[in-house]
Amino acid sequence: MGPFKHLAMTCSLFLASVPLAVGQTFSSDRLEFRLETVAAGLAYPWSLAFLPDGSALVTERAGRLRMIRDGALEADAISGLPELVVSGQGGLLDVLLHPAFADNRTLFLSYAHRTGSGMTTRVAKATLQQDRLENVEVIFEALPRSGSTRHFAGRMAFDSSGYLYVAVGDRGEMDRAQDTADDAGGVHRMTVNGEPAPGNPGLNNSRINDTFYTWGNRNIQGMTVHPDTGDIWTHEHGPRGGDEINILRAGTNYGWPEITYGIDYSGLPITLDTRKEGMAQPLHYWDPSIAPSGMAFYTGSLIPEWQGDLFVGALKLRKLVRLRITDDIVREEEDLLTDFGERIRDVRMGPDGALWLLTDASNGKVHRLVPAQ
């Protein structure tokens, strides 16, 4: 039995074991739903991963990896994390399970790291044994480093071939996103050991770093796999306006900062161009910015009204966006949780059929979104 089938079988375990604090009910175009609080007291939770035994791992940007087991947040953090730094937008970021986690207990962490040369985004793999990480190994480090504390990106995903995708932001230094000899401002595709994946566009081109898959990306904080096509979908922060949803294609330049639908924070234009030959157009964009973070397709049976829809969390505008997309065109867009008042950091499809959300706060929470009835 594969690990993803094993995960699907944990649905009843989750429903039976999570002690729920039932919150308010919300309305949407297609159904009434409510939020159930699973855990609270987390310091800026950033990512969530479901384990085959029905427990879940939660990263705190403040530098801790936590476990929700038997429906409760354990008091003690997982030990053995790699050395990392918490500064600005950096800290402990994404957690992702190896596709064969049920057999090898391997997981991957993205995080900010500092040396005398500055800060950067790193990825380490490790083995989870009880409540400790062992065999911790750094497999990727974006170079060069810089003094910036912004735009680490850090979202990760696996494709159907078992290759790992890692997003690295432009570090707040926008021109780096067009420099393919600089690891900033793009998505890197690699094996589980950090080696360049076969077929990467830079393998036969000395001007492109060999782990690059795409570039011209500003700061990706949403990454998910399309349930039907297997394509990797991302979204990224624009400046003032120009948040984008993109489908990753090998060797594609997504344009930042040569083209954008946003303007500088000062109010001045970054560029007058929204299109250029050889640069991809987004599937969808927001203007004004919503500050997107977290991203998941709904694939469960608990809420059939939302089957196949894409959900995106929003930090700045404090909401959850539902998108119905067919033929790569947004046919419906609905804002949810607009009265909730919380910054949504991550959105995950749970093995129980619920949507799981993380709120970005010093007292961050883990919520399940379920039908009201």
Side-chain angles (χ1 to χ4, degrees):
M1 180 182 297
F4 298 119
K5 290 183 180 179
H6 193 164
L7 281 172
M9 293 177 65
T10 65
C11 173
S12 60
L13 190 155
F14 264 105
L15 292 174
S17 66
V18 176
L20 304 174
V22 179
Q24 69 186 97
T25 298
F26 299 88
S27 296
S28 76
D29 291 345
R30 295 182 176 269
L31 81 157
E32 302 285 310
F33 64 91
R34 69 175 188 269
L35 289 183
E36 299 173 338
T37 302
V38 177
L42 293 152
Y44 299 99
W46 210 91
S47 179
L48 181 68
F50 301 100
L51 276 61
D53 65 0
S55 56
L57 291 171
V58 184
T59 61
E60 293 175 285
R61 184 167 53 81
R64 290 180 295 273
L65 180 62
R66 306 291 295 278
M67 178 76 77
I68 298 173
R69 181 179 283 133
D70 297 327
L73 180 67
E74 297 200 335
D76 294 332
I78 303 295
S79 63
L81 264 65
E83 178 188 25
L84 58 87
V85 63
V86 180
S87 180
Q89 297 173 0
L92 182 59
L93 303 174
D94 213 355
V95 56
L96 180 68
L97 303 187
H98 190 288
F101 177 87
D103 299 318
N104 61 26
R105 305 290 295 177
T106 298
L107 58 77
F108 299 80
L109 296 170
S110 64
Y111 54 94
H113 185 263
R114 182 179 340 194
T115 67
S117 299
M119 298 174 64
T120 193
T121 304
R122 266 187 172 182
V123 175
K125 70 173 182 177
T127 304
L128 178 64
Q129 298 294 349
Q130 300 301 320
D131 293 325
R132 177 173 178 78
L133 296 182
E134 298 180 353
N135 307 315
V136 177
E137 178 187 355
V138 177
I139 65 165
F140 174 76
E141 176 177 279
L143 295 175
R145 294 168 177 266
S146 78
S148 170
T149 61
R150 301 168 54 202
H151 297 185
F152 293 91
R155 289 293 180 193
M156 302 184 293
F158 276 106
D159 67 14
S160 59
S161 298
Y163 296 125
L164 176 65
Y165 294 69
V166 178
V168 178
D170 69 358
R171 304 302 318 291
E173 300 161 332
M174 64 178 71
D175 291 338
R176 296 179 67 182
Q178 289 297 320
D179 183 354
T180 53
D182 183 326
D183 288 331
V187 176
H188 298 262
R189 178 174 173 259
M190 65 196 72
T191 70
V192 294
N193 297 317
E195 299 164 348
N200 279 359
L203 288 178
N204 297 310
N205 188 333
S206 61
R207 294 175 297 175
I208 302 172
N209 285 356
D210 53 13
T211 54
F212 260 134
Y213 192 71
T214 69
W215 47 91
N217 301 112
R218 184 172 184 264
N219 190 27
I220 290 173
Q221 293 200 355
M223 185 178 290
T224 192
V225 180
H226 192 284
D228 297 324
T229 66
D231 292 333
I232 307 293
W233 287 45
T234 66
H235 66 59
E236 63 184 88
H237 289 263
R240 286 177 56 182
D243 301 335
E244 297 182 0
I245 293 178
N246 291 299
I247 304 174
L248 296 189
R249 307 294 185 197
T252 298
N253 183 344
Y254 290 89
W256 175 255
E258 295 295 317
I259 58 173
T260 180
Y261 287 92
I263 59 175
D264 191 68
Y265 295 114
S266 68
L268 297 174
I270 293 168
T271 172
L272 298 179
D273 296 316
T274 57
R275 294 174 179 267
K276 274 190 177 181
E277 185 176 354
M279 296 182 179
Q281 284 292 296
L283 182 146
H284 185 65
Y285 71 91
W286 287 274
D287 186 11
S289 292
I290 66 169
S293 188
M295 184 180 193
F297 286 97
Y298 185 81
T299 58
S301 58
L302 192 62
I303 312 176
E305 296 89 345
W306 288 348
Q307 183 63 225
D309 289 350
L310 182 67
F311 289 82
V312 174
L315 297 166
K316 178 183 177 182
L317 295 192
R318 299 173 185 253
K319 62 185 177 181
L320 179 68
V321 181
R322 179 185 68 85
L323 299 168
R324 178 151 294 180
I325 302 171
T326 56
D327 299 324
D328 297 343
I329 298 171
V330 174
R331 311 292 182 176
E332 294 180 26
E333 181 171 357
E334 182 182 13
D335 291 344
L336 308 174
L337 301 177
T338 53
D339 297 328
F340 185 46
E342 296 282 349
R343 290 161 54 91
I344 306 300
R345 172 59 74 181
D346 201 11
V347 183
R348 298 285 171 167
M349 181 65 228
D352 57 353
L355 273 180
W356 290 59
L357 310 177
L358 300 183
T359 59
D360 182 63
S362 58
N363 179 25
K365 297 179 176 66
V366 181
H367 297 284
R368 294 173 71 243
L369 189 159
V370 297
Q373 303 296 327

